[in-house]
Amino acid sequence: MTMRRYPSRRRAGPQAAGGRFSPAADPALKRVFAEIGVPEETPFSPDPFQLEALAAVGKADCLVTAPTGAGKTWIAEQAIRRVLAAGGRAWYACPLKALSNAKFADFGRLFGPEQVGILTGDRKENPDAAVIVGTTEILRNQLYDAMHRGESLAFDFVVLDEAHFLGDRERGVVWEEVMIYLPSRIPLLLLSATIGNAPEIAAWLSSVRGRPCRVVEETRRPVPLFPLFLNPSGLLLPFCRLSRRGTATGGLHEKVLRFVRSKRSPWANRPPSFGRIIEALRRFDLLPAIFFLKSRAECDQALSACLGNQPEDGGKLARREALVRDFSALSERVGRHRQLYHLRELAVASHHAGQLPIWKLLVERLMTEGLLDAVFATSTVAAGVNFPARTIVLLYSDRFNGSEFLPLDPTEFHQMTGRAGRRGMDRIGFVLTVPNRFMDLLHVAALLNAEPSDVESRIHINFSMVLNLLLSHTPPQVEDLLKRSFAAFRRAKSIRRGGAGRLEAAERLWREFEHHLAFLRDHGYVNPENALTEDGLWASRLRVDRPLLIAEGFRRAAFPQKDPALLAGLIAPFVFEKEIEERLSERQIPRPLASAYRKLALALSPFMGEMLDAGFEARPLSIRPAAALYAWARGESWERTLQISELEEGDLAVLILRTADNLRHVVSLAEVFPEAAAAAAEAVAAILRDPVVDAL
């Protein structure tokens, strides 16, 4: 398919259009719309692919690819049940803390709360339970610890949910490490909706782990998907050509194609308002809907276009109010949220990473229970949050990747459309395409039948990896591990020249490892025999984004040892990644913080210069996040802390949660820095308060 590049620029979202808008449906949709409704309840019977996967797990590793909602989790649940019956233990790894929390609750109901524990950066409950749910990073860290002790991981089964995260640009390295380090005696089940090269990944796993890996693929959606097109006049059309039976086939419908070829459409740049689109969806029983928008601002601004929305009641308003009361009891911020009116009275909501975790959880709960008409969301919803709708609405065929606008790829598109149609609640789901100047209809038509994208290796070397591998491996052993990477396997396969390609990729990784190793050796974390020194041993416990800089700060006595608020403030810059203005008044930088910050910056400046000279990243330490965390740790109000940080609520919450996670790693240094560890523990308790902590 042709992949078109879009200019890298900020763009305004759809505005209310003028002109006549009258909701109507093309006669060709009569048969399709007759299918709308709730399916009859039937006794559960596992699908063939579920039984096939469950049988495979008993004999080999297994990679299951199936559409969202097809029932992949059922396979994991039944496999875990068998492990428990045999007296074993299981690990269920998720990419997101929100998913871990949801699975923890689900498994507690399924297996009994005493049988289930959770381990994330924010929660540690029942860690010795038979079933552990947690983030993949925590599982990787447990593998590091087991290798260091010369032990095998104390589990008998591992599930990696959302296995396509292997190809995630930032975090994919963690998935690959887990797959390489996991002892071959432990069966591995991988679950994903979007992997184009599943057989290749299975072949790599077989070569790495020395045991077969079966691929079980299911392509049938549990709820069929029908694509629609909204003419700006309000007329709903089939997006694709129709078969004699009324099902969608390939290519654009003739009326849509006519619209595409029109050179003088007055609607090309101004699609109907969101309120009008919801009006059309309601008329034809196509609600609830998820509108996927580009930015947080667009999601928030969309709510103002819904002021005329008149949601059907049927007791839903009272149920919304009851849930709002429940969540308000957990956090007073919910009852004073600026979008509360839209959510409660208009049954519409905005959902994006700039919002507080508890507010997002409320929106998800309302949508899951069918109490909202529409949610305006960024792509975070497609990436893992589980609240499907009857219809998803697309207004763009591209996505901003942080630097430029690029066309949606098949994986991104399938993740979005996977939210259309609720299993057990819908007989059919819809994707509605709304034309505007940022919508390439031909590209969307190609995506409808495109296979998911291939997953690529994202393995790279970092200081935390080097320190932790040296706990249990010699450099030659590490070199052997790198030869077993998915990157090396793919390279060998792609050029079809025996082991030459594999060596090329492995050698690149090995050179990266040696480069990191040499820097660690030059700075006393590794001795001339390439073993960790005492400093290297405790630095390896800092399994955070910038472990070496934090370790160096402690080596140089640059961190406050006894003041929890100051320590929280000075750890915050190490987790902050945004570029912000540094204009701060003296009133916003208390004298103790200014003094401690200068001491830290001066102590680390030479070391950061050496890192830069050696080709390593060493981002400047920003004082604004330090000021925000210092204020919050000292008991300042949320409003005042927001003002200092100049962040959105969700971003500030993430900054606090990540700072807390880094502080927990400082707590692990109690044997070496007892006073700092005690201060870190106090700091964690001080900053994890309403409204930061999720409603769990």
Side-chain angles (χ1 to χ4, degrees), residues 51-120:
L51 295 174
E52 180 185 353
L54 191 58
V57 169
K59 304 172 184 176
D61 293 340
C62 186
L63 170 55
V64 180
T65 65
T68 300
K72 296 184 292 295
T73 304
W74 180 88
I75 302 165
E77 291 170 351
Q78 300 308 307
I80 291 172
R81 195 181 296 279
R82 291 196 310 207
V83 171
L84 294 179
R89 302 182 70 204
W91 232 105
Y92 192 101
C94 303
L96 305 174
K97 294 176 183 177
L99 284 177
S100 297
N101 290 332
K103 284 291 183 287
F104 174 62
D106 291 344
F107 287 176
R109 289 188 291 268
L110 190 65
F111 304 121
E114 72 286 348
Q115 291 274 68
V116 185
I118 185 169
L119 295 174
T120 68

Side-chain angles (χ1 to χ4, degrees), residues 12-15 274 295-306 339 350:
Q15 305 296 316
F274 296 118
S295 68
R296 303 172 182 184
E298 284 185 11
C299 294
D300 293 338
Q301 293 163 6
L303 300 179
S304 63
C306 302
Q339 297 173 358
S350 172

Side-chain angles (χ1 to χ4, degrees), residues 300-317:
D300 293 338
Q301 293 163 6
L303 300 179
S304 63
C306 302
L307 292 177
N309 191 44
Q310 297 179 344
E312 296 178 359
D313 189 11
K316 291 184 177 181
L317 175 59

Side-chain angles (χ1 to χ4, degrees), residues 277-502:
I277 296 173
I278 292 175
E279 176 189 352
L281 295 175
R282 175 178 289 106
R283 176 165 181 176
F284 296 102
D285 200 16
L286 296 171
L287 296 175
I290 299 173
F291 290 71
F292 281 111
L293 303 181
K294 277 286 190 302
S295 68
R296 303 172 182 184
E298 284 185 11
C299 294
D300 293 338
Q301 293 163 6
L303 300 179
S304 63
C306 302
L307 292 177
N309 191 44
Q310 297 179 344
E312 296 178 359
D313 189 11
K316 291 184 177 181
L317 175 59
R319 292 165 62 193
R320 284 197 296 274
E321 289 178 337
L323 272 175
V324 168
R325 283 195 302 271
D326 291 344
F327 276 73
S328 297
L330 296 169
S331 172
E332 63 178 17
R333 301 290 304 176
V334 171
R336 295 187 284 112
H337 198 281
R338 65 187 184 280
Q339 297 173 358
L340 183 59
Y341 172 79
H342 303 86
L343 179 140
R344 187 170 55 194
E345 304 295 332
L346 305 179
V348 296
S350 172
H351 186 290
H352 55 71
Q355 293 171 331
L356 285 170
I358 193 169
W359 180 260
K360 290 192 293 182
L361 192 61
L362 172 59
V363 172
E364 294 161 17
R365 178 83 173 270
L366 288 166
M367 192 67 171
T368 301
E369 296 190 14
L371 300 178
L372 296 179
D373 283 348
V375 168
F376 301 94
T378 55
S379 57
T380 53
V381 170
V385 178
N386 184 27
F387 57 90
R390 178 163 290 172
T391 302
I392 67 128
V393 182
L394 292 181
L395 293 102
Y396 305 102
S397 60
D398 62 338
R399 182 184 180 199
F400 189 65
N401 69 356
S403 59
E404 61 181 333
F405 288 99
L406 294 174
L408 290 173
D409 65 34
T411 293
E412 293 164 342
F413 183 79
H414 284 308
Q415 286 177 337
M416 291 178 178
T417 56
R419 302 296 164 200
R422 300 160 297 175
R423 188 169 190 174
M425 299 177 67
D426 291 311
R427 289 200 296 255
I428 188 170
F430 298 88
V431 52
L432 176 66
T433 304
V434 180
N436 63 86
R437 63 194 177 111
F438 301 117
M439 171 62 75
D440 184 339
L441 296 172
L442 294 175
H443 182 58
V444 172
L447 288 173
L448 280 166
N449 296 309
E451 295 293 326
S453 306
D454 285 357
V455 168
E456 299 181 12
S457 172
R458 299 297 184 183
I459 193 169
H460 59 272
I461 308 300
N462 56 53
F463 283 113
S464 181
M465 179 194 295
V466 174
L467 288 167
N468 278 278
L469 285 178
L470 289 176
L471 284 170
S472 53
H473 293 73
T474 64
Q477 290 171 328
V478 172
E479 184 177 17
D480 182 62
L481 280 178
L482 298 178
K483 290 178 182 178
R484 298 161 59 194
S485 68
F486 186 43
F489 183 87
R490 290 206 85 198
R491 181 66 179 170
K493 182 180 178 183
S494 66
I495 62 175
R496 305 286 185 182
R497 284 190 292 198
R502 176 174 296 217

